[in-house]
Amino acid sequence: MPVAHISGSAAGERVLESAQYISQHSKDVFVPEEGVRRAAQEIVERMQSVGYSTAEWRKHTLNPSVADSAAIEWIFVVDALNFSFWTDKSGSPHKQYTVTLDGHAYRGYWTLCAAINRAEREGVPMTDPAFYSRMSLDDLAHVFRADDPAIQEPIPLLARRLQVLHEIGRVLQDKYSGRFANAVELCRGSAQRLVELVVRDFPCFRDEHRYGGRAVQLYKRAQILVADIWACFEGKASGWFYDIDQITMFADYRVPQALCHFGALSYSPRLADFLRRSERAVALHGEAAVAACPPEAGLLPSGHEWEVEIRGNSIWAVERIRQHILASGAHVNAILIDFYLWDYAKEHPESMRSVPIHLTRSIFY
Ligand SMILES: Nc1nc2c(c(CN[C@H]3C=C[C@H](O)[C@@H]3O)cn2[C@@H]2O[C@H](COP(=O)(O)O)[C@@H](O)[C@H]2O)c(=O)[nH]1
């Protein structure tokens, strides 16, 4: 099916318009202009001092080291499963779900990459849709097993991850001869067309919600899928997209923490109080017990207006930071600002501790 017929404004424009709308109507999350200005200055200085660029992407040990079609299939599976790694054991790392590879114990998002790489080494073809579209729950539990038997906690949302693999594997075989590289080729260098194709053909990427009486699109995983391909290929060959700068920040639960740390995002007292209470309750009583509580004392349900406000304002804050950096004469896009903030949060966990994350179980981020 030709991609060109996809109608409506480009996905990235719809995400940015949604983010601006959310920010304009938010009651509990704000993008302080003074914080944005300070954050822009600090971020661009830090990025320039380390020469932050797409080259960082392949430096991550677990990311593909070669930019080829196998890397595209790896990125597709990883970003289809790139969601919900937070745990109620964060306070006690020795019990937290970890995957050890080459002697290094990975947590959070990196457990996903480590598990996929470990499986591939064991001859489990986790980037082959003919295989993963027919996996059983036991097969997947083995792929995502914690190597330390003392760790009872499985990777969150295991059954949902299996559903995602079955869905994307079936569509990829039916429509793109089993290769996501074919879908990339069809979009002829347009990042927006590729995001549109992904949210049209792969329902698990449809990160769409209702807020303030209308539909809003956040498309976090569809956009980071395109961004990871762009970064892996350093903007060349299959990673060349003439409209890559229209991709926005990826609305997850980690970058908002970094944005708050830099002062570019802030929460109302009642929201900040809720987030702290929710985090404390989950650490003390465990997720299952807290999930059974009424919303005002429990987790933040997917689609809740506070969740949408945190995610939408995070996108808008990065856009404002990007505009400030552009005005200063430097060139950077929302992807590199996002990657920088995410890496910063992971490299400075102690700085992040004072800012709570929002605890929502979702397959969207
Ligand atoms: N906004 C944004 N969200 C990102 C990423 C990544 C991984 N990308 C890196 C890999 C190669 C590139 O160089 C990127 O640096 C994962 N996530 C999200 O974070 C959360 C996991 O957090 P934790 O539980 O602490 O590991 C979860 O929602 C996951 O979906 C990103 O880059 N940006």
Side-chain angles (χ1 to χ4, degrees):
M1 187 188 299
V3 173
H5 80 285
I6 286 181
S7 60
S9 64
E13 288 161 357
R14 295 216 304 281
V15 173
L16 203 50
E17 191 278 330
S18 294
Q20 185 169 28
Y21 175 81
I22 293 166
S23 192
Q24 287 166 342
H25 294 80
S26 282
K27 298 182 287 295
D28 291 279
V29 185
F30 313 103
V31 178
E33 199 47 32
E34 179 44 33
V36 164
R37 196 194 53 72
R38 253 197 344 266
Q41 195 169 348
E42 188 164 348
I43 289 165
V44 73
E45 278 164 13
R46 286 166 180 267
M47 287 176 80
Q48 286 172 338
S49 68
V50 301
Y52 200 87
S53 73
T54 50
E56 297 303 309
W57 196 90
R58 289 215 308 275
K59 287 181 188 165
H60 284 289
T61 314
L62 296 176
N63 283 346
S65 53
V66 176
D68 56 14
S69 63
I72 293 177
E73 305 313 314
W74 184 92
I75 290 169
F76 178 60
V77 171
V78 165
D79 279 328
L81 297 173
N82 184 356
F83 55 82
S84 213
F85 302 99
W86 62 265
T87 164
D88 55 12
K89 303 276 186 315
S90 300
S92 50
H94 58 286
K95 274 195 252 147
Q96 184 176 352
Y97 173 65
T98 57
V99 174
T100 301
L101 203 58
D102 301 330
H104 189 289
Y106 294 96
R107 295 192 178 92
Y109 162 80
W110 293 115
T111 59
L112 167 60
C113 302
I116 297 289
N117 293 355
R118 179 179 62 185
E120 291 272 288
R121 289 187 192 179
E122 293 169 352
V124 180
M126 281 306 290
T127 57
D128 175 0
F131 173 78
Y132 61 70
S133 60
R134 291 201 296 270
M135 285 185 89
S136 70
L137 191 59
D138 283 350
D139 291 343
L140 197 61
H142 182 70
V143 166
F144 284 115
R145 69 190 183 282
D147 26 48
D148 175 351
I151 295 174
Q152 303 305 320
E153 183 195 19
I155 189 169
L157 299 183
L158 184 68
R160 293 303 307 273
R161 295 181 199 277
L162 185 68
Q163 285 171 346
V164 163
L165 287 172
H166 287 172
E167 171 197 292
I168 66 167
R170 195 172 47 250
V171 173
L172 201 59
Q173 292 177 94
D174 293 351
K175 289 195 161 187
Y176 299 102
S177 311
R179 293 175 72 250
F180 189 68
N182 292 336
V184 176
E185 241 168 82
L186 259 181
C187 293
R188 297 187 307 281
S190 170
Q192 296 312 315
R193 265 207 299 270
L194 187 51
V195 172
E196 290 293 345
L197 177 152
V198 169
V199 299
R200 180 193 68 195
D201 293 347
F202 298 93
C204 71
F205 284 86
R206 267 179 223 151
D207 184 0
E208 301 166 342
H209 308 277
R210 293 207 56 85
Y211 178 82
R214 55 159 274 193
V216 288
Q217 294 81 28
L218 299 180
Y219 293 157
K220 183 260 178 191
R221 288 198 290 105
Q223 291 197 103
I224 201 169
L225 166 56
V226 178
D228 278 342
I229 293 171
W230 171 72
C232 176
F233 284 78
E234 297 192 56
K236 297 187 280 291
S238 303
W240 175 76
F241 298 102
Y242 59 83
D243 53 355
I244 194 67
D245 288 355
Q246 287 180 32
I247 296 282
T248 74
M249 172 264 181
F250 318 114
D252 71 321
Y253 56 82
R254 192 58 67 201
V255 173
Q257 206 178 28
L259 286 168
C260 285
H261 168 75
F262 280 106
L265 194 70
S266 66
Y267 300 149
S268 67
R270 67 175 183 169
L271 175 54
D273 178 51
F274 169 82
L275 293 175
R276 270 193 288 274
R277 275 189 292 112
S278 177
E279 235 182 17
R280 231 186 347 259
V282 164
L284 273 176
H285 308 298
E287 177 184 349
V290 175
C293 293
E296 63 276 10
L299 303 180
L300 201 50
S302 179
H304 187 284
E305 68 172 3
W306 280 350
E307 184 220 17
V308 176
E309 289 191 7
I310 292 171
R311 298 184 72 207
N313 279 282
S314 297
I315 294 170
W316 189 244
V318 170
E319 173 58 15
R320 292 293 301 124
I321 289 171
R322 187 189 70 85
Q323 289 170 2
H324 268 275
I325 292 176
L326 282 184
S328 73
H331 178 256
V332 71
N333 62 23
I335 298 171
L336 285 177
I337 296 171
D338 175 285
F339 280 174
Y340 176 80
L341 288 169
W342 193 86
D343 288 344
Y344 183 91
K346 302 295 282 182
E347 287 153 16
H348 301 82
E350 71 295 337
S351 311
M352 300 298 124
R353 226 180 293 288
S354 60
V355 181
I357 63 169
H358 65 284
L359 298 178
T360 296
R361 278 297 175 216
S362 164
I363 66 161
F364 294 126
Y365 61 100

